[in-house]
Amino acid sequence: MPSPTQVVALLKAQNLRHVRLYDADRAMLLALANTGIQVTVSVPNDQLLGIGQSNATAANWVARNVIAHVPATNITAIAVGSEVLTALPNAAPVLVSALKFIQSALVASNLDRQIKVSTPHASSIILDSFPPSQAFFNSSWKPVMVPLLKFLQSTGSYLMLNVYPYYDYMQSNGVIPLDYALFRPLPPNKEAVDANTLLHYTNVFDAIVDAAYFAMADLNFTNIPVVVTESGWPSKGDSQEPDATLDNANTYNSNLIRHVLNNTGTPKHPGIAVSTYIYELYNEDLRPGSVSEKNWGLFYANGVPVYTLHLTGAGTVLANDTTNQTFCVAKEGSNPKMLQAALDWACGPGKVECSPLLQGQPCYEPDNVVAHATYAFNAYFQKMAKSPGTCDFKGVATITTTDPSHGSCIFPGSDGRNGTFVNGTSLAPSSNSTTSGCLSRYIDSGGYFASTLIIGILALSAVFL
């Protein structure tokens, strides 16, 4: 597992200026000191009941996990619990008390203006989320939601919401198109239209966020902003999760980041970017559950990107392709017949210049379908400006930061030097580091925003603007 120092080195190398921690790990907070990175710390669910029942316990938590670290560590928010209403409903009656007790401790230390207090919710607490204008909170939670929203309004805080179009897509039984979940462009006749407002929705993310705004308005709260505390897409899944792929994860996160950084906003609030944390910084090999549960990260534990985001014009962000060292190669273990079919398509209808693969030319050797397909796939990928979705070839291709050039065979997009790059910075931890599921407590990290993009266990905040 990367040490806190190595995690912070990764954040700094990737110019990430916001981070969300899933607890208040002391070593991590010390490592973040004097970096200027804005930090959201969290009260874990297993501590919520004690804090919600005792003002003194809450004050002690704040003293130990916040006051002890500021101002050196730039703590700007406290997330109290995580999806409490759905994951820990027996603690729901003390949730608002916990927020108020934490807030009182901040007020006593004159930190209440600097540090906001809220609690992340699963989007499933919103019922009838489409059309968004008809959305409302589950009525069984009204005794909690009304005082909670009053608290958020009175303290100038925000509604924390976890938004996962992946799960909405998976659970829709084909009703939600994949392109709609991935932010891919839709023809006008395919856009979802809210018949009550006539607002057009081109993606699931915006629809869920607006549903939250309408659900709050249903309870007469209209001035509380929404911050998305988790969103992302898994890069790998089992046989029951065929759309958990590298290409889809890259497409979703690249398009989400672009959507936030462009200040697109939502149809209900155009031009007002939604601060968003991307889940997550690292893959978690030891996490229990399905294959996809282990594969939401942008990076492996050694600091190498799982895939390289396509963020042309967005500056140096995460594993953004700022060095032009991103390539498309044949996926290891692919069916040779599928590789041959994809190779034939690339050199035919795909209009790739494949003459370097002819006998006697620089890229003829090694003369096998994997090597030739890799060249053709990459040539197409580069020709298409590395656009999301152009390195898939029915699942037999994948993106890499390792230059596949060899000898006199220089691949399109190469600078002629082989090697692995992460924005030109080596991010590998020490050789005795091991992968651990404990990484989830580290980062839902963020970028630098006024409208924020955050990455769950890596959070990019709207500060990317």
Side-chain angles (χ1 to χ4, degrees):
M1 179 177 77
S3 69
T5 301
Q6 290 163 336
V7 172
V8 171
L10 175 63
L11 297 176
K12 292 168 69 175
Q14 298 295 331
N15 288 330
L16 297 174
R17 306 305 303 162
H18 296 250
V19 60
R20 176 185 168 200
L21 309 182
Y22 282 89
D23 59 7
D25 183 79
R26 182 175 182 272
M28 193 71 229
L29 290 171
L30 290 173
L32 286 162
N34 304 311
T35 63
I37 294 172
Q38 296 187 32
V39 182
T40 294
V41 295
S42 301
V43 175
N45 281 354
D46 61 6
Q47 298 179 32
L48 185 62
L49 279 171
I51 288 174
Q53 294 173 338
S54 169
N55 204 338
T57 301
N60 182 56
W61 191 94
V62 171
R64 187 175 64 255
N65 297 298
V66 178
I67 296 171
H69 296 282
V70 296
T73 301
N74 188 16
I75 297 174
T76 57
I78 301 174
V80 180
S82 178
E83 301 188 348
V84 174
L85 300 186
T86 49
L88 193 67
N90 64 308
V94 302
L95 178 59
V96 176
S97 295
L99 271 69
K100 289 181 175 178
F101 289 158
I102 294 285
Q103 178 73 11
S104 294
L106 294 176
V107 170
S109 300
N110 293 317
L111 292 172
D112 53 302
R113 292 187 179 181
Q114 169 188 334
I115 302 174
K116 297 301 179 185
V117 180
S118 188
T119 181
H121 296 285
S123 61
S124 59
I125 68 167
I126 303 169
L127 301 184
D128 291 343
S129 59
F130 202 90
S133 62
Q134 293 182 6
F136 58 94
F137 292 116
N138 187 326
S139 59
S140 64
W141 296 123
K142 189 173 181 179
V144 177
M145 289 306 300
V146 171
L148 171 62
L149 294 173
K150 284 182 179 178
F151 170 83
L152 298 179
Q153 186 178 64
S154 66
T155 60
S157 189
Y158 35 81
L159 182 75
M160 292 180 169
L161 189 68
N162 296 341
V163 177
Y164 284 107
Y166 172 75
Y167 289 124
D168 290 282
Y169 163 73
M170 288 288 290
Q171 295 163 8
S172 74
N173 295 318
V175 173
I176 295 177
L178 180 61
D179 287 347
Y180 185 55
L182 292 173
F183 291 92
R184 283 178 175 151
L186 297 171
N189 66 328
K190 295 291 186 181
E191 293 178 1
V193 180
D194 187 323
N196 300 312
T197 61
L198 299 184
L199 294 174
H200 287 238
Y201 286 87
T202 61
N203 61 81
V204 174
F205 180 89
D206 282 351
I208 296 173
V209 172
D210 273 359
Y213 280 118
F214 279 108
M216 285 192 286
D218 180 61
L219 296 178
N220 297 314
F221 294 92
T222 58
N223 58 350
I224 300 173
V226 172
V227 168
V228 174
T229 36
E230 293 180 19
S231 192
W233 197 282
S235 60
K236 186 178 181 180
D238 56 31
S239 60
Q240 304 302 311
E241 301 174 296
D243 295 298
T245 66
L246 277 172
D247 188 57
N248 286 346
N250 193 344
T251 298
Y252 179 81
N253 283 327
S254 294
N255 286 339
L256 172 61
I257 291 171
R258 190 177 297 110
H259 186 65
V260 171
L261 298 188
N262 287 346
N263 272 341
T264 305
T266 65
K268 180 171 171 57
H269 294 293
I272 301 176
V274 181
S275 297
T276 303
Y277 287 85
I278 295 178
Y279 184 85
E280 61 185 329
L281 186 58
Y282 293 107
N283 273 348
E284 301 182 72
D285 292 355
L286 301 184
R287 186 184 180 113
S290 64
V291 173
S292 66
E293 286 295 316
K294 310 172 193 293
N295 290 280
W296 289 81
L298 297 179
F299 293 89
Y300 296 108
N302 64 1
V304 173
V306 177
Y307 48 85
T308 300
L309 297 168
H310 302 305
L311 303 173
T312 304
T316 304
V317 178
L318 301 177
N320 182 21
D321 184 18
T322 57
T323 61
N324 205 34
Q325 294 294 326
T326 317
F327 306 90
C328 182
V329 299
K331 189 179 294 184
E332 185 177 351
S334 295
N335 183 298
K337 291 183 178 179
M338 292 182 67
L339 284 174
Q340 185 63 57
L343 169 61
D344 293 343
W345 183 89
C347 294
K351 299 181 179 179
V352 165
E353 174 51 63
C354 290
S355 59
L357 298 175
L358 297 175
Q359 189 169 4
Q361 297 302 309
C363 298
Y364 175 72
E365 296 290 348
D367 181 19
N368 61 60
V369 69
V370 173
H372 285 197
T374 288
Y375 182 89
F377 293 173
N378 180 67
Y380 180 78
F381 181 58
Q382 303 294 336
K383 186 179 85 162
M384 299 304 291
K386 307 180 185 180
S387 300
T390 59
C391 181
D392 181 66
F393 294 93
K394 294 188 176 180
V396 298
T398 188
I399 292 171
T400 183
T401 52
T402 300
D403 187 345
S405 300
H406 51 89
S408 60
C409 177
I410 306 301
F411 276 49
S414 171
D415 61 5
R417 298 173 298 183
N418 296 350
T420 301
F421 301 84
V422 183
N423 286 343
T425 304
S426 173
L427 300 174
S430 61
S431 58
N432 61 359
S433 297
T434 57
T435 303
S436 169
C438 295
L439 285 174
S440 62
R441 72 171 191 259
Y442 278 155
I443 306 158
D444 192 314
S445 356
Y448 15 167
F449 306 14
S451 24
T452 302
L453 178 65
I454 302 145
I455 294 179
I457 308 260
L458 174 63
L460 288 186
S461 203
V463 169
F464 275 113
L465 304 177

